[in-house]
Amino acid sequence: EADIYQTPRYLVIGTGKKITLECSQTMGHDKMYWYQQDPGMELHLIHYSYGVNSTEKGDLSSESTVSRIRTEHFPLTLESARPSHTSQYLCASSPPTVIGTDTQYFGPGTRLTVL
Amino acid sequence: AQTVTQSQPEMSVQEAETVTLSCTYDTSESDYYLFWYKQPPSRQMILVIRQEAYKQQNATENRFSVNFQKAAKSFSLKISDSQLGDAAMYFCAHAGGTSYGKLTFGQGTILTVHP
């Protein structure tokens, strides 16, 4: 399995709280991604980054924000959690390639429940 | 925009037998990549197999092989000699050559392996 980590693995929190989901990888990958996945459903890209100080919104609109200050770290923040944010959040990374695309390695995910 | 469709929400197979999971996709790009990912219950998503669209030869990885039909935009996964550890949700995914690694996922197929 790839060296990509997510914390916490499970989080139950009340409405209105600010939360940060952590994602770190030790592989030196330049590209990192955040996906949202409801139970038993497909993955939707919500944020991605091609390197330090680069962040873009994905195909699925999300109220979350991300930052990429260090290559290995790509945290996701929700300023005010709501029950509609309840989902699983998966982080992934992929190595630099001249081709433009490559295999993505996934973290274990964070299951977020907002009460 | 790319789309990926997995028309089989659930499949089952007897241990040691062969099963085929279906996937169709739509893309306007001439250069792209296709993937099958496996997501075991409560475990990390891992890559099963990858196919470059410019390669006519079907990819194989041990017991896993694909049937890539570019004209029909079909990309099925064949699992031979199924094992209990193959039980998981399987996702088909597409990355266009200009998408810089961003994946579009299908809805997923839950595979059950019966002993």
Side-chain angles (χ1 to χ4, degrees), chain B residues 2 4 11 15 30 57 68 71 76 94:
Chain B
Q2 293 102 4
V4 178
M11 291 285 284
E15 198 175 5
S30 57
Q57 186 173 7
F68 174 46
S76 60
H94 168 284

Side-chain angles (χ1 to χ4, degrees), chain B residues 14 16-18 26-27 46 48 55 59 61 74 85 87 92 98 100 108:
Chain B
Q14 291 292 133
E17 294 189 347
T18 296
D26 193 16
T27 182
I46 58 172
V48 175
K55 290 186 178 179
E61 287 287 342
S74 171
C92 179
T98 60
Y100 299 100

Side-chain angles (χ1 to χ4, degrees), chain A residues 1-2 4 9-10 31 33 35 37 40-45 48 50 57-59 88 90 94 99-109 111, chain B residues 2 4 31-33 35 37 39 41-47 50 52 54 89 91 95-108 110:
Chain A
E1 293 184 350
I4 180 165
R9 293 291 309 278
Y10 302 91
K31 295 188 285 292
Y33 311 85
Y35 294 90
Q37 181 188 28
M41 302 294 285
E42 65 208 273
L43 283 73
H44 293 285
L45 181 68
Y48 60 100
Y50 291 146
K57 290 189 177 295
D59 302 322
Q88 175 165 244
L90 294 173
S94 62
I99 300 172
T101 184
D102 211 322
T103 301
Q104 289 189 19
Y105 298 89
F106 283 82
R111 287 192 183 275
Chain B
Q2 293 102 4
V4 178
D31 185 24
Y32 54 88
Y33 304 79
F35 306 82
Y37 278 89
Q39 188 177 38
S42 301
R43 293 182 59 191
Q44 274 170 264
M45 180 102 71
I46 58 172
L47 178 72
R50 160 196 163 115
E52 290 87 349
Y54 63 87
M89 188 161 214
F91 289 97
T98 60
S99 70
Y100 299 100
K102 292 187 293 179
L103 291 173
T104 299
F105 284 86
Q107 303 88 336
I110 298 172

